[in-house]
Amino acid sequence: MTALLRLEEARALLLEHAPPRRVERLALADALGLVLAEDMRAPEPLPPFPRSGMDGYAVRSQDTLGATREVPVTLPLVGVIPAGHPLEDELAPGTTVAIMTGGALPKGADAVIRLEEVRVTDEGVRIFRPVPPMENVAPIGEDVQEGQVVLTAGQLIRPQEINLLAALGIERVPVYARPRVGILSTGDELVGVGEVPGHGQIRNSNGPGMAALVRAAGGEPVMLGIARDVTDVIARALGQSHGCDLLITTGGVSVGQFDVVKEALAVLGAEQLFWRVSIKPGTPVCAGLLDGRLVIGLSGNPAAAITDFDLLVRPLLDHLLGRKRLGLREAEGILDQPVLKKVALTRFLRARAYNGPDGEIHLDTGMAQRAGVLSTMCAANAYAVIPGHCGPLPAGARVKVLLQDDADVYIPRPPSCTMRY
Amino acid sequence: MTALLRLEEARALLLEHAPPRRVERLALADALGLVLAEDMRAPEPLPPFPRSGMDGYAVRSQDTLGATREVPVTLPLVGVIPAGHPLEDELAPGTTVAIMTGGALPKGADAVIRLEEVRVTDEGVRIFRPVPPMENVAPIGEDVQEGQVVLTAGQLIRPQEINLLAALGIERVPVYARPRVGILSTGDELVGVGEVPGHGQIRNSNGPGMAALVRAAGGEPVMLGIARDVTDVIARALGQSHGCDLLITTGGVSVGQFDVVKEALAVLGAEQLFWRVSIKPGTPVCAGLLDGRLVIGLSGNPAAAITDFDLLVRPLLDHLLGRKRLGLREAEGILDQPVLKKVALTRFLRARAYNGPDGEIHLDTGMAQRAGVLSTMCAANAYAVIPGHCGPLPAGARVKVLLQDDADVYIPRPPSCTMRY
């Protein structure tokens, strides 16, 4: 049997053989949640005209010099400028015009006084203090100057980025494309989710499960269906997966079955990268290169396949999406239950992470941990990491924890460097 | 002018007048990220048959009693059971059958010994120790028993929940529906994002910006377009928004302009819930009930509209989606810059939250804070909360911070209760 690879090495091999990131120009709305692949420059300034920041009165500031509460300046009111209805003419010296928030400051005017500060009389608008130049005026380019780099490559596109790009008239943006991940379930025992399994059969729950993992991680699942445990059927299914950036399979990788996926890859001339990683659950995981494209064979066991995905596939998708953090977020937690056994493999115990009254993350690992049990994965929001050759550990021991996205806990500290696994 | 409402009161009013949560039965894949509205029971057990957890040999455990390394038991090999290919017949006493992981244990057999532990000879399979009953066998219902509640109402549907439900043959699930949020941009100054603005005009960036906020928050945006600042045009647009759970408008709510949206609501017989909230930016925000349906009028200023959304609309959407936390997550942070002014309103300074070497969250609020500046919202991942009538505050002061979803920081502590705003 091949020696087991350490998780870090398997992860590094996958990243080393990652396909190139694809850059797509997407409509703004479709770019939400993706990462910008190029710097974006402003084709025009924002605001594009001197804009009033208040509802008030546009003035020539010099007309208000010397105004006081006792001796106000009164300027005849010559009109109104709602937003979107600019004045064609210059504001004549010694006059004022009402202006709404967002209205274009007329030529000649250089300031706006808020309507709450003036008194409107039959003679005009009475102003009781000098209005400094540019008061309540956003000059052209105050927000963004023409040609300015407004967003840099690597920036996550969030709603505020969409608002800004839309304001600049940019309708398509270059982003790292969602990786297309082919998903093939293998196994003679599998029937579709909508079918009634016969004796010895189970439903292909890994198909929808893996698709959801891919989608939640930002990828685009491409369903390749179910392949029976016959090498050339698998080979054909894999061969038909053009257009995918990478492939994942489930099943066919345990000791007696590995040959099925391995042989299919061999038939197609794939190069094997690794088989079996020093993690539990999910030990029987393999990876190969098929025409230069990554194929990752995950355990057929749902709980183990999910763990394999989180530890090996997720960092790869994060990389392809141009994200800064690769993989689940790490923290430090305190075990509620002891770890009784010492094993050579690094264990990833399903855990419910929660904050105790001490503010620390506590880890309830009391649910069933057997790889064949899927249901208790639904009670978990994290993995407690028990390093290989470590243990037994008492309740209260500090361990590394990997938090799923929905784990809504305060994180008092990152894992200390002595906890590397 | 109406007295300003406190943020908590405005938020409570919105929750009080929230539409009822809609429950939809969605296909499993579409339920990802939504919250289960009813308990789910297992219609059948998992596994549905006694399943081998290993590649090995199925035996009657009593046949192995007394086996030792020196005096092994040898059982004739009568066949092989791959997964999906169960044996019809009972396993005859004194025989064994090869079985793959996931294979159905044959009648008569009650244990599986791993293939690594035996030696296969011409006479049969040699076993060197007694195999206890149920070794490496997952009995019927080990994972889930028939009729068991597998997921309870309120559970977020993640990939593992989808895998489990698929395994049980459940193809549609009752979830809280994505709220349909009508989005109407108002303003004579607005042109479409793809158009070239004339003098005094700007693009309707709030349309796509609000749609992205709604979508990122789990809602379904319904675009109602741009309404000119004429009451009956707005009234018509709002009146045509049937099928929306709630409506948001942007623009038309500042001092001189409020009448536009307010009058449109009055024309349609809406009841006003509030106008102007004691927050900055985003003070001019209003809410009304139109035929019992919430209409929330946000500032037309993009930065202020985003703040209004985060503080008032987001908690409402979280509530409608059945989530446990309403609104952005709260923490405590340390100001990098002093707050110089004291104002009556609670300020929400855009901030870049990051962890300092001390492990604390630090808040860089050095970017332009003017409501008319949108671009610096893209440098922010959080709001620093400066309570009303509080300040000036020195650099180093501790304040509450609201973290956006993408803020990737360790969170050493929740805000202390003395920091309520």
Side-chain angles (χ1 to χ4, degrees), chain A residues 275-328:
Chain A
W275 175 45
R276 292 169 66 82
V277 175
S278 177
I279 55 176
K280 181 182 160 69
T283 321
V285 53
C286 70
L289 282 174
L290 176 63
D291 298 331
R293 189 171 46 177
L294 267 179
V295 182
I296 307 173
L298 311 182
S299 173
N301 216 312
I306 293 170
T307 308
D308 282 338
F309 183 97
D310 279 337
L311 297 179
L312 290 165
V313 184
R314 184 183 294 280
L316 188 61
L317 296 186
D318 287 336
H319 163 77
L320 291 173
L321 285 159
R323 292 175 179 158
K324 291 184 180 73
R325 174 161 53 82
L326 306 188
L328 295 176

Side-chain angles (χ1 to χ4, degrees), chain A residues 57-140:
Chain A
Y57 295 88
V59 296
R60 292 170 176 263
S61 57
Q62 64 196 27
D63 287 344
T64 65
L65 286 175
T68 63
R69 183 134 293 277
E70 294 71 35
V71 189
V73 164
T74 302
L75 302 173
L77 183 61
V78 298
V80 59
I81 305 175
H85 298 281
L87 210 62
E88 292 304 310
D89 302 327
E90 188 172 326
L91 181 71
T95 68
T96 186
V97 60
I99 189 166
M100 298 294 148
T101 306
L105 200 71
K107 261 175 285 182
D110 64 352
V112 171
I113 183 163
R114 295 167 63 207
L115 60 81
E116 293 91 333
E117 292 194 58
V118 307
R119 192 178 317 149
V120 182
T121 68
D122 287 347
E123 291 85 57
V125 176
R126 237 169 242 174
I127 295 170
F128 302 93
R129 63 168 177 88
V131 184
M134 300 312 285
E135 177 162 302
N136 294 320
V137 172
I140 292 174

Side-chain angles (χ1 to χ4, degrees), chain B residues 43-61:
Chain B
E44 53 193 59
L46 269 188
F49 51 83
R51 185 177 59 188
S52 176
M54 290 286 170
D55 293 334
Y57 295 89
V59 296
R60 292 172 177 259
S61 58

Side-chain angles (χ1 to χ4, degrees), chain B residues 90-311:
Chain B
E90 189 172 325
L91 181 71
T95 68
T96 186
V97 60
I99 190 166
M100 298 293 148
T101 305
L105 200 70
K107 262 175 283 181
D110 65 351
V112 170
I113 183 163
R114 294 168 63 206
L115 61 80
E116 293 91 336
E117 291 194 58
V118 305
R119 192 176 320 148
V120 182
T121 67
D122 287 346
E123 292 85 55
V125 177
R126 236 169 245 175
I127 296 170
F128 303 91
R129 63 167 176 87
V131 186
M134 300 313 285
E135 177 163 303
N136 293 320
V137 172
I140 293 175
E142 183 201 41
D143 193 344
V144 172
Q145 301 199 331
E146 186 178 338
Q148 180 187 332
V149 172
V150 284
L151 298 172
T152 54
Q155 171 72 47
L156 180 68
I157 305 285
R158 303 167 299 171
Q160 56 262 56
E161 281 76 28
I162 288 184
N163 201 318
L164 180 64
L165 292 165
L168 291 166
I170 297 171
E171 295 188 277
R172 299 190 86 81
V173 282
V175 291
Y176 296 115
R178 296 190 184 280
R180 285 190 290 256
V181 181
I183 297 170
L184 180 69
S185 306
T186 74
D188 276 13
E189 74 277 27
L190 300 181
V191 299
V193 174
E195 293 174 57
V196 178
H199 180 54
Q201 296 184 318
I202 58 169
R203 296 189 182 84
N204 172 28
S205 67
N206 278 332
M210 286 293 131
L213 276 167
V214 167
R215 197 175 298 113
E220 185 189 322
V222 178
M223 303 312 287
L224 301 176
I226 300 171
R228 301 291 148 212
D229 283 340
V230 176
T231 300
D232 64 346
V233 177
I234 297 178
R236 202 158 45 237
L238 290 179
Q240 283 168 351
S241 57
H242 299 299
C244 292
D245 294 301
L246 64 133
L247 303 175
I248 58 181
T249 67
T250 53
V253 287
S254 70
V255 184
Q257 297 177 323
F258 174 67
D259 282 351
V260 179
V261 166
K262 188 182 178 185
E263 275 179 20
L265 291 176
V267 164
L268 294 163
E271 170 197 347
Q272 185 182 313
L273 291 179
F274 61 78
W275 175 44
R276 290 169 67 81
V277 175
S278 176
I279 56 176
K280 180 181 161 75
T283 321
V285 53
C286 71
L289 282 174
L290 177 61
D291 299 331
R293 188 171 46 178
L294 268 179
V295 181
I296 308 174
L298 311 181
S299 172
N301 217 311
I306 292 170
T307 308
D308 282 338
F309 184 96
D310 279 337
L311 298 179

